[in-house]
Amino acid sequence: MDVPTLIQPGIAIAGEAARFPVRRIFCVGRNYAEHAREMGHDPDAEPPFFFTKPADAAVAGGALPFPSRTGDLHHEVELVVALGRGGTNVDRADALGLVFGSAVGLDLTRRDMQAVAKKLARPWDMAKGFDASAPIAPLTRGLPAPDAAITLTIDGDLRQRGRLSDLIWPIDALIAELSTYVALAAGDLIFTGTPSGVGPIHRGETLVASVDGLPPLELRFD
């Protein structure tokens, strides 16, 4: 057997031929107060916590296969930040200097699988880190306005709505905090949290995720 040749995961950059190479995907949980409450938690009682997805979970929009082993797939629209530089124990004042660009993405969750894992006190990696679990629109260099609106519609119906200014831990604080756990590097993506209104996705539905000032993400599950 020959040594396999691996393909570097990557995402599109708006208006450019080059693609952004994805090294790692980090996600932060419960970073909007209303979402924390709808999940049964006090947003003022805990620091941010992080989980990961595999790099090749990052895919473009369009038609996607409905994930296996779930009857309760949930949407979570998020601002995604892409790092062009890294560091360890980054000062908050320097954190935004690591940012290459940003995009709107979806943190997809096999909610039924996650609920079972939580009940049994087991890791819920497979509820979050499955194939194509991180659809992302093309990156735009820089960041959107601090008060930009973030929304998600399904078949034209508004399901999630918030503003980036509602983030409990803003982007600079998230980067600084995450850099105390791991050495950040160019190619890392950070999903920054989702507003309230998370809910199920059904086959054949069309989702449109948006952050003002960034290309939208449109997809459906067959």
Side-chain angles (χ1 to χ4, degrees), residues 111-132:
R111 192 71 74 195
D112 44 359
M113 187 179 293
Q114 185 186 44
V116 170
K118 287 181 176 180
K119 183 178 179 179
L120 298 175
R122 293 174 178 172
W124 32 273
D125 302 60
M126 289 296 99
K128 286 286 192 177
F130 51 95
D131 295 342

Side-chain angles (χ1 to χ4, degrees), residues 10-54:
I11 53 178
I13 304 171
E16 300 185 29
R19 291 176 63 80
F20 184 85
V22 178
R23 180 173 180 262
R24 296 179 294 187
I25 300 176
F26 298 99
C27 307
V28 62
R30 299 194 293 265
N31 199 29
Y32 285 79
E34 289 304 315
H35 174 58
R37 294 187 184 101
E38 76 177 347
M39 301 301 287
H41 297 272
D42 180 354
D44 299 320
E46 58 185 12
F49 71 93
F50 301 94
F51 58 93
T52 62
K53 294 175 181 271

Side-chain angles (χ1 to χ4, degrees), residues 85-118:
R85 294 173 46 221
T88 304
N89 296 316
V90 176
D91 288 337
R92 184 170 175 178
D94 300 326
L96 295 186
L98 275 58
V99 174
F100 171 87
S102 54
V104 61
L106 286 178
D107 167 16
L108 298 176
T109 305
R110 296 194 276 207
R111 192 71 74 195
D112 44 359
M113 187 179 293
Q114 185 186 44
V116 170
K118 287 181 176 180

Side-chain angles (χ1 to χ4, degrees), residues 100-217:
F100 171 87
S102 54
V104 61
L106 286 178
D107 167 16
L108 298 176
T109 305
R110 296 194 276 207
R111 192 71 74 195
D112 44 359
M113 187 179 293
Q114 185 186 44
V116 170
K118 287 181 176 180
K119 183 178 179 179
L120 298 175
R122 293 174 178 172
W124 32 273
D125 302 60
M126 289 296 99
K128 286 286 192 177
F130 51 95
D131 295 342
S133 60
I136 302 175
L139 281 173
T140 296
R141 289 176 180 263
L143 291 167
D147 194 40
I150 178 170
T151 60
L152 181 127
T153 64
I154 297 182
D155 290 343
D157 295 329
L158 183 64
R159 301 294 178 87
Q160 290 188 260
R161 176 175 59 190
R163 307 197 80 85
L164 300 185
S165 55
D166 297 332
L167 287 167
I168 298 170
W169 288 73
I171 295 166
D172 56 348
L174 282 178
I175 294 172
E177 180 74 5
L178 182 57
S179 75
T180 68
Y181 289 90
V182 296
L184 298 174
D188 288 343
L189 302 180
I190 303 173
F191 279 66
T192 59
T194 192
S196 61
V198 301
I201 303 167
H202 301 108
R203 296 176 190 271
E205 292 179 330
T206 297
L207 288 73
V208 179
S210 300
V211 170
D212 284 352
L214 300 179
L217 173 67

